[in-house]
Amino acid sequence: MKEIFDGIKTAVKDIAQALKYSDFGYTANQNATGDTQLKLDVLSDEIITKTLSKINLVKELVSEEKEKALKVSGDGEYIVAYDPLDGSSLVDVNFAVGSIFGIYKGSLNPANLVASVYSVYGPRTELVIAKDKVELFRLDKQGDFAFASELRLKEKGKLNATGGLQKGWDEKHKNLIKSLFDEGYRLRYSGAMVSDLHQILLKGGGLFSYPATSDAPKGKLRLSFEVLPFAFIYELAGGYAVDNEGKRLLEINLEKVHQTSPCYFGSKYEIDKVKACLA
Ligand code: AHG
Ligand code: MN
Ligand code: MN
């Protein structure tokens, strides 16, 4: 697996450079979800494809920016599913964005998720690798990812990040969000799940949610390369990740590459509350 992590590190460094100096306009194309692709979405996808397809352990790549899974020449057992650039609509306002990777062994199934990695391109480039524990690395002056700390969630946090159009929320989700604010939680939502979930993880806890809405009853966020990699990370860090019925996301039935699900990530206190409010 080290080879895969090393490949991801190389790709992440290249994407960090591309973000600094490349054209960030839109292309004329849409991806499988119907989002208009930015030139940087496509470039980030190409960087990752080029790097990971050289790794013999990898047999297949699944990307937000590719319609179908791509078979590569490696004869290993790993599938890497990735979001090349999460939060890319925020590139023009210079907010932190990132890349998300789920590493599956055998087939694309949540039970086969064996490791997750994500990067954050902010004032600094950071990398979080989750395998047996969740570890944070920061890119140093020499161009190496230096270990910074192990990440663990506390039992209860202070932050509340929630997405989707509020006019499309149902009563249960509205009540949940209001009751957290009534308890004193602070609103924190940038529009890049990678940065919002990273903030909650580093600050020790809180709730990130992307609910079912009237216009998107199955939510917006994609399981293979957004929701499941973070569910793996949150659980490994001592937190929880559930859908809008309170069921563990890591037990969901994944049938399609671009399948979405409503999702709730947080520490114990907040997820107990999600379960009580959404029941
Ligand atoms: P992407 O840039 O990869 O398409 O993902 C954007 C996602 C996610 O990062 C974010 O939390 C969510 O879309 C924001 O959506 P809303 O503006 O509907 O809240
Ligand atoms: Mn995304
Ligand atoms: Mn993306």
Side-chain angles (χ1 to χ4, degrees), residues 187-240:
L187 171 65
R188 288 288 185 270
Y189 190 75
S190 72
M193 71 178 296
V194 73
S195 310
D196 293 328
L197 283 159
H198 186 58
Q199 179 171 186
I200 291 172
L201 197 52
L202 268 89
K203 302 286 187 194
L207 181 71
F208 174 92
S209 53
Y210 201 105
T213 58
S214 52
D215 56 333
K218 296 207 162 132
K220 173 185 182 185
L221 299 177
R222 279 87 18 133
L223 285 161
S224 352
F225 44 79
E226 290 178 322
V227 173
L228 295 173
F230 268 107
F232 183 88
I233 292 166
Y234 265 57
E235 287 199 357
L236 198 57
Y240 298 80

Side-chain angles (χ1 to χ4, degrees), residues 29 57 60 137 182 259:
N29 307 320
L57 287 173
E60 221 170 278
F137 300 83
D182 288 348
Q259 187 177 326

